[in-house]
Amino acid sequence: MDIFKDLQERGLVYQHTDELALRKRLEAGPLTLYCGFDPTADSLHIGSLLPILVLKRFQLAGHKPIALVGGGTGLIGDPSGKASERVLNPKEVVDQWAYKIKQQLEQFLDFETEENPAIVANNYEWLGSLQVIEFLRDIGKNFPLGTMLAKDSVEARMSKGISYTEFSYMILQSYDYLKLNELYDCEMQVGGSDQWGNITVGIDLIRRMSVDQVKEIHGLTMPLVTKSDGVKFGKTESGTVWLDAEKTSPYKFYQFWMNTDDRDVIKFLKYFTFIPMEEINELAEGVEKEPEKRRAQRVLATEVTKLVHGQDALKRAEKISGALFGGGLRNLSAAEIEEGFSDVPSATIENPEIGLIDLLVLGGVVSSKRQAREAIVSGAIYINDVRHTDVETTVPQLERLDGKYLVIRRGKKNYYLIKFS
């Protein structure tokens, strides 16, 4: 497999060191490469999914990936892409987050294969034991100040202010590359396009520290993912889309990909799935000729949800989607109802002997009994997919889902979940 050609066809190559030398090295046999992931939260989000999958693509092509968890650099904070200083988190918190991120990374890479098993490393192992004098004498002297100031990640922050702590981040990341080269013969670093400056500085450090031997070191960046509508990728009305199922449910994750704009769906299929390019090209024709069928979006949602959350979670997400958009709420379990309506207004009702008008007010569906009557009479109120137009309806007359839920819809899109204690 020509991994470089595949990455180019999928639009995953943004910048790289000498192409001829890199291609020649990739053709010569397996190499070891790495990508870093700083623990800035207790889960990675889908913005991190692209570099993870690039590591996976290299592994499938026979190369050996290292997923580096930034237990050390996570204590400092990368200024790249940030307009202001990061909040420094306590070491205990960063340690916990680093452990959880390590577990997430292990979902995607193969650590059991005999030929090219992946590695998860934590840079606190070497950064945590550094001595200041030793670090400044042996490492710091290799970083010309002018070169550091010229890097995009630093230059962009100079007018707004940058601390020495964040200014030193590129030195620590460069040291990571040096250590991984020494420990695992790592020859390439990959990352987002905002990491190009840090990557090239790391390459320079390795060459400066290896004057007695010529080392061929490489770097490659992928584009930062953007959406055609201008909304930041990975963001929704309810917040960030996380890889952790406890933070973003598989159903919400599935729906994020289903809602992909026609202008973005083919690009995302190339980026986030392992579907052959021939099939993606066929899906592209479908987007042009029959966009209303949203077949490309369905394939994208299916493939990425299965990849991140597994087959069982995918089936549950598809079931919930079918029930919510196809009329089948009665087929959902309590857990599926909770998952499908986790981000809609909800209320718990203790008295089940009330009328529909009072239910709408107590449930926050309307603000007054007058509005409740108007909504009912106008046919705007649906309960468990059934329209109710009788103002005399009482709660005991309503069939509850799983014995304790009512899903109320006002109009076309406003949903509310009522629970009975």
Side-chain angles (χ1 to χ4, degrees), residues 36-208:
F37 303 89
D38 276 351
T40 55
D42 60 354
S43 170
L44 296 171
H45 52 73
I46 58 174
S48 301
L49 188 56
L50 189 60
I52 294 173
L53 297 184
V54 167
L55 287 182
K56 187 177 181 68
R57 292 183 197 280
F58 272 99
Q59 186 174 32
L60 291 173
H63 303 285
K64 188 168 186 175
I66 301 173
L68 181 66
V69 179
T73 45
L75 293 167
I76 301 300
D78 184 359
S80 302
K82 295 295 179 182
S84 59
E85 196 86 2
R86 290 178 184 266
V87 175
L88 297 181
N89 296 298
K91 182 178 182 303
E92 296 76 17
V93 172
V94 174
D95 285 346
Q96 293 174 4
W97 291 352
Y99 177 73
K100 290 184 177 181
I101 287 174
K102 176 178 180 291
Q103 290 181 309
Q104 284 187 330
L105 291 167
E106 290 173 346
Q107 297 175 217
F108 299 95
L109 302 173
D110 187 350
F111 295 85
E112 305 300 326
T113 180
E114 294 182 2
E115 294 184 359
N116 59 329
I119 297 170
V120 170
N122 188 323
N123 63 16
Y124 189 78
E125 294 176 15
W126 50 82
L127 295 181
S129 59
L130 281 176
Q131 299 295 315
V132 175
I133 299 300
E134 174 190 357
F135 180 70
L136 292 176
R137 278 179 57 88
D138 298 339
I139 306 301
K141 68 179 181 181
N142 293 289
F143 290 83
L145 190 58
T147 300
M148 296 178 69
L149 289 171
K151 296 300 180 184
D152 291 342
S153 60
V154 172
E155 188 176 20
R157 285 279 300 280
M158 290 300 290
S159 61
K160 298 181 179 179
I162 182 172
S163 69
Y164 175 76
T165 300
E166 288 197 358
F167 180 67
S168 66
Y169 185 91
M170 73 171 68
I171 302 179
L172 298 181
Q173 183 170 324
S174 301
Y175 189 66
D176 286 343
Y177 199 171
L178 175 67
K179 292 300 294 185
L180 292 173
N181 179 259
E182 293 175 351
L183 295 171
Y184 302 105
D185 193 26
C186 181
E187 300 175 60
M188 183 164 72
Q189 182 183 356
V190 299
S193 59
D194 60 339
Q195 294 298 311
W196 180 247
N198 291 338
I199 292 174
T200 55
V201 171
I203 292 173
D204 289 341
L205 176 63
I206 294 173
R207 289 171 176 166
R208 287 171 181 264

Side-chain angles (χ1 to χ4, degrees), residues 186-416:
C186 181
E187 300 175 60
M188 183 164 72
Q189 182 183 356
V190 299
S193 59
D194 60 339
Q195 294 298 311
W196 180 247
N198 291 338
I199 292 174
T200 55
V201 171
I203 292 173
D204 289 341
L205 176 63
I206 294 173
R207 289 171 176 166
R208 287 171 181 264
M209 298 288 287
S210 308
V211 292
D212 58 331
Q213 53 181 313
V214 179
K215 287 195 172 183
E216 191 174 304
I217 305 298
H218 306 278
L220 182 148
T221 62
M222 61 213 75
L224 295 179
V225 185
T226 57
K227 293 174 66 175
S228 297
D229 58 8
V231 178
K232 187 175 181 180
F233 176 74
K235 294 289 185 179
T236 67
E237 292 181 1
S238 57
T240 301
V241 180
W242 301 93
L243 300 185
D244 186 340
E246 295 298 320
K247 296 171 76 70
T248 298
S249 72
Y251 164 71
K252 299 300 179 188
F253 189 86
Y254 179 87
Q255 282 301 314
F256 170 81
W257 299 103
M258 278 295 297
N259 291 327
T260 300
D261 192 293
D262 286 345
R263 295 169 293 176
D264 294 320
V265 67
I266 299 304
K267 177 174 70 174
F268 290 175
L269 280 166
K270 294 176 181 179
Y271 284 5
F272 297 104
T273 77
F274 292 84
I275 296 173
M277 287 299 299
E278 295 79 7
E279 186 175 338
I280 292 176
N281 291 334
E282 291 178 6
L283 290 168
E285 291 183 13
V287 174
E288 290 292 328
K289 297 176 180 178
E290 300 175 306
E292 71 282 356
K293 291 187 176 181
R294 300 185 70 76
R295 181 166 172 256
Q297 281 86 347
R298 192 170 303 281
V299 172
L300 176 65
T302 298
E303 292 295 320
V304 183
T305 304
K306 181 169 59 177
L307 178 68
V308 174
H309 294 298
Q311 184 67 37
D312 290 343
L314 169 63
K315 289 182 178 179
R316 188 169 68 252
E318 290 175 330
K319 179 182 177 183
I320 296 172
S321 297
L324 266 58
F325 300 104
L329 292 175
R330 290 171 179 78
N331 298 324
L332 298 179
S333 67
E336 291 165 344
I337 292 170
E338 293 277 2
E339 182 175 342
F341 295 95
S342 61
D343 62 348
V344 306
S346 63
T348 300
I349 305 296
E350 295 182 357
N351 179 15
E353 303 299 324
I354 58 176
L356 177 57
I357 290 176
D358 289 330
L359 176 69
L360 296 181
V361 175
L362 291 173
V365 181
V366 295
S367 58
S368 68
K369 291 185 178 181
R370 178 182 61 79
Q371 282 189 349
R373 291 190 187 92
E374 291 175 353
I376 294 170
V377 171
S378 67
I381 299 299
Y382 293 77
I383 300 178
N384 301 342
D385 290 332
V386 177
R387 176 182 282 173
H388 287 268
T389 57
D390 185 354
V391 295
E392 300 300 325
T393 300
T394 62
V395 169
Q397 294 174 297
L398 303 174
E399 179 186 357
R400 301 179 199 172
L401 303 175
D402 204 57
K404 64 176 182 178
Y405 297 98
L406 292 177
V407 175
I408 300 178
R409 174 163 61 89
R410 181 185 179 188
K412 293 183 177 181
K413 296 182 179 180
N414 299 309
Y415 282 91
Y416 304 83

